């Protein structure tokens, strides 16, 4: 029986896998910071395991792969669909081909839908099993962006023109997996744990083919209904995705995680004046209480890389401001996963270490506070959630300015005191920091949107 080690990247909503038989291992969809994979291989058994193969399910759109770098580091064979156009040497693999890794047998299964060339990989614990009869003895299937837990990978990442065709492929691929694999086979997706590569939010933390047959819309709905539902529910995906496919097709090397150059107050001022981004990694509570003017708050305690990569004009130098070197190192690791290879500089401590002037600040509030204020004076409520969230339920009179559109549409926000909210506070703090840097009077609502309806505010809800 293969042993499966899951390597989580919760900030991007993804998983990678190390699979071994006690001595030899293969890896599926590794992230770019391959030191985590190497550490997992060393600790898998008392003597560690040797990584002999690396498999990619597809050319990823939401992160820079570590597959090429891992194969170079370990001498492993690097398997990428032979139909993919890439700029590096790899071992091409195609539908139906099998690879023996130690005592394990890995079979490639064409599962187009997330991309046209997407592959899943079914693994059996004995390389000899099933060969005589042709039956599947798979104990697990690594489905990448195909079959997820209660969902599927989104079909629109290659452009709207291909979305319907890929959605139909996605439906067929799910049915192929369900037909060819045993009900007890574990489903091991790469996406779906908060990743915007998922068509809808996945459910649960583990699943099998049998469970998906009972609950996954791709397997419980007919093709027409499934396609209509998936296409109707698609919303924007992070802007940095546009850079991931080309980076992965080029064969990215492992990024350096060496600490960045330390910047003093004068250097920080010069960088800010030059239009570079100074990103404060502290919690939204700490940032609101006092920060260096002009800095932006992307807390390392949330989906840091997703929102930084989504908002920043690509190529803008980033200086990281953290309370500790560990905070900076964590943010740097997150950045290399999406192709921002090196911070321009870094500084640690607190805002008094990052500016020689007065600190800036803004108030935090709750939805009951907003309800009270609206009885006494006019304020501008800015809802930075995505359009679908806003359509489902929103505060009457709120301006919907999705966070990812803020830099482009900031001038569309009416004059006045801005009360900014999202669903839980993280996105609101990013937006509030940007409004504050632009000189707008702002209050960040740090509260769960579920509390809005019980606070005396009037909501408009989707019928």
């Amino acid at each position: 029986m293969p042993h499966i080690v899951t390597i989580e990247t919760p900030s991007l909503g993804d998983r990678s896998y190390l699979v071994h038989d006690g001595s030899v291992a293969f890896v599926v969809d590794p992230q770019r910071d391959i030191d985590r994979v190497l550490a997992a291989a060393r600790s898998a058994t008392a003597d560690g395991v040797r990584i002999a193969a690396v498999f990619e399910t597809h050319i990823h759109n939401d992160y820079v792969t570590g597959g090429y770098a891992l194969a170079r580091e370990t001498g492993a064979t690097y398997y990428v669909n032979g139909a993919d156009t890439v700029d590096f040497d790899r071992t091409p693999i195609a539908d139906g081909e099998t690879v023996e890794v130690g005592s394990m047998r890995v079979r490639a299964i064409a599962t187009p839908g997330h991309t046209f060339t997407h592959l899943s990989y079914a693994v059996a614990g004995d390389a000899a099993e099933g060969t005589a009869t042709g039956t599947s003895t798979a104990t697990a299937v690594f489905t990448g962006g195909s079959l997820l837990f209660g969902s599927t990978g989104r079909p629109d990442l290659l452009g709207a023109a291909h979305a319907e065709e890929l959605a139909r492929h996605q439906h067929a691929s799910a049915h192929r997996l369900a037909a060819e694999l045993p009900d007890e086979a574990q489903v091991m997706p790469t996406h779906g744990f908060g990743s915007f590569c998922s068509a809808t939010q996945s459910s649960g933390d583990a699943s099998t083919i049998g469970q998906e047959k009972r609950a996954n819309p791709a397997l419980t709905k007919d093709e027409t209904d499934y396609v209509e539902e998936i296409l109707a529910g698609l919303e924007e995906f992070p802007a940095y995705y546009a850079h991931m496919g080309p980076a992965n097709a080029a064969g990215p090397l492992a990024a350096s995680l060496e600490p960045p150059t330390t910047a003093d107050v004068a250097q920080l001022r010069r960088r800010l004046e030059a239009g570079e981004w100074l990103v404060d990694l502290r919690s939204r509570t700490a940032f609101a209480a006092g920060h260096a003017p002009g800095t932006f708050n992307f807390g390392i305690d949330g989906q840091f890389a997703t929102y930084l990569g989504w908002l920043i004009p690509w190529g803008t130098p980033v200086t990281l401001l953290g309370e500790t070197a560990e905070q900076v190192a964590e943010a740097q690791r997150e950045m290399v996963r999406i192709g921002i290879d090196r911070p321009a500089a870094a500084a640690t401590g607190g805002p008094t270490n990052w500016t020689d002037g007065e600190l800036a600040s803004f108030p935090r509030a709750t939805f009951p506070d907003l309800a009270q204020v609206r009885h006494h004076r006019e304020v501008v409520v800015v809802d930075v959630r995505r359009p679908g969230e806003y359509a489902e339920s929103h505060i009457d009179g709120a301006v919907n300015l999705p966070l990812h559109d803020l830099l482009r549409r900031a001038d569309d926000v009416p004059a006045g005191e801005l009360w900014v909210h999202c669903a839980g506070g993280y996105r609101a703090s990013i937006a509030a920091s940007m409004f504050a840097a632009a000189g707008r009077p702002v209050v960040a609502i740090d509260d769960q949107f579920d509390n809005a309806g019980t606070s005396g505010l009037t909501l408009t809800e989707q019928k």
Side-chain angles (χ1 to χ4, degrees), residues 279-364:
V279 174
D280 190 325
L281 304 170
R282 297 175 301 145
S283 72
R284 56 185 180 264
T285 302
F287 184 88
H291 56 269
T295 59
F296 299 146
N297 180 219
F298 290 80
I300 197 62
D301 56 349
Q303 284 186 282
F304 165 79
T306 294
Y307 288 109
L308 178 66
W310 201 333
L311 271 70
I312 193 169
W314 203 251
T316 301
V318 178
T319 292
L320 299 174
L321 308 176
E323 291 172 313
T324 64
E326 288 74 22
Q327 242 182 18
V328 170
E330 183 179 353
Q332 182 178 354
R333 181 179 290 271
E334 294 281 357
M335 286 165 56
V336 302
R337 291 172 179 158
I338 63 166
I340 303 176
D341 284 354
R342 293 286 298 167
T348 57
T352 56
N353 304 114
W354 306 329
T355 181
D356 50 12
E358 293 291 322
L359 297 187
S361 64
F362 51 76
R364 293 165 53 246

Side-chain angles (χ1 to χ4, degrees), residues 49-109:
V49 294
R50 177 177 62 85
I51 297 173
V54 179
F55 295 93
E56 296 283 10
T57 59
H58 61 294
I59 301 296
H60 303 281
N61 286 282
D62 64 332
Y63 64 84
V64 177
T65 182
Y68 183 66
L70 182 63
R72 284 169 58 99
E73 175 74 18
T74 63
T77 305
Y78 189 29
Y79 293 97
V80 178
N81 194 326
D84 283 319
T85 301
V86 295
D87 299 331
F88 54 86
D89 291 332
R90 54 49 160 107
T91 299
I93 190 167
D95 180 40
E97 292 186 1
T98 59
V99 177
E100 293 184 6
V101 184
S103 63
M104 301 173 289
R105 184 179 181 88
V106 182
R107 176 167 67 98
I109 305 172

Side-chain angles (χ1 to χ4, degrees), residues 201-462:
Q201 188 60 39
S202 291
S203 56
D205 195 54
S207 189
T208 63
I209 289 292
Q211 288 174 280
E212 294 307 309
K213 284 181 179 179
R214 295 188 292 272
N216 196 304
L219 296 171
T220 60
K221 295 178 180 292
D222 66 27
E223 180 183 291
T224 299
D225 289 345
Y226 164 80
V227 170
E228 288 180 355
E229 180 179 288
I230 287 298
L231 295 181
L234 293 172
E235 289 194 320
E236 295 86 352
F237 52 84
Y240 72 85
Y241 279 22
H243 304 278
M244 300 299 96
N248 287 326
L253 298 175
S256 169
L257 293 174
E258 289 295 313
T261 302
T262 299
D264 60 21
V265 170
Q267 291 169 329
L268 294 175
R269 185 190 315 111
R270 286 196 296 271
R271 291 185 178 280
L272 196 61
E273 291 171 350
E276 300 184 12
W277 277 29
L278 272 59
V279 174
D280 190 325
L281 304 170
R282 297 175 301 145
S283 72
R284 56 185 180 264
T285 302
F287 184 88
H291 56 269
T295 59
F296 299 146
N297 180 219
F298 290 80
I300 197 62
D301 56 349
Q303 284 186 282
F304 165 79
T306 294
Y307 288 109
L308 178 66
W310 201 333
L311 271 70
I312 193 169
W314 203 251
T316 301
V318 178
T319 292
L320 299 174
L321 308 176
E323 291 172 313
T324 64
E326 288 74 22
Q327 242 182 18
V328 170
E330 183 179 353
Q332 182 178 354
R333 181 179 290 271
E334 294 281 357
M335 286 165 56
V336 302
R337 291 172 179 158
I338 63 166
I340 303 176
D341 284 354
R342 293 286 298 167
T348 57
T352 56
N353 304 114
W354 306 329
T355 181
D356 50 12
E358 293 291 322
L359 297 187
S361 64
F362 51 76
R364 293 165 53 246
T366 64
F367 286 109
D369 294 330
L370 174 61
Q372 282 292 111
V373 164
R374 288 182 110 186
H375 286 305
H376 303 292
R377 66 179 189 274
E378 288 289 326
V379 297
V380 179
V381 180
V382 182
D383 182 339
V384 298
R385 296 176 302 157
R386 295 185 297 279
E389 296 174 280
Y390 179 86
E392 185 176 334
S393 178
H394 62 267
I395 297 168
D396 282 3
V399 176
N400 185 214
L401 177 58
L403 179 62
H404 59 269
D405 274 346
L406 192 149
L407 293 177
R408 182 174 63 87
R409 291 182 45 207
D411 291 342
D412 295 345
V413 179
E417 183 179 296
L418 309 181
W419 284 58
V420 184
H421 82 85
C422 60
Y426 186 81
R427 287 175 288 176
S429 182
I430 297 173
S433 72
M434 292 183 162
F435 282 127
R440 300 292 301 268
V442 65
V443 176
I445 298 178
D446 192 355
D447 199 357
Q448 297 294 316
F449 185 72
D450 290 346
N451 295 329
T454 59
S455 65
L457 295 165
T458 304
L459 303 184
T460 296
E461 298 188 344
Q462 196 173 51

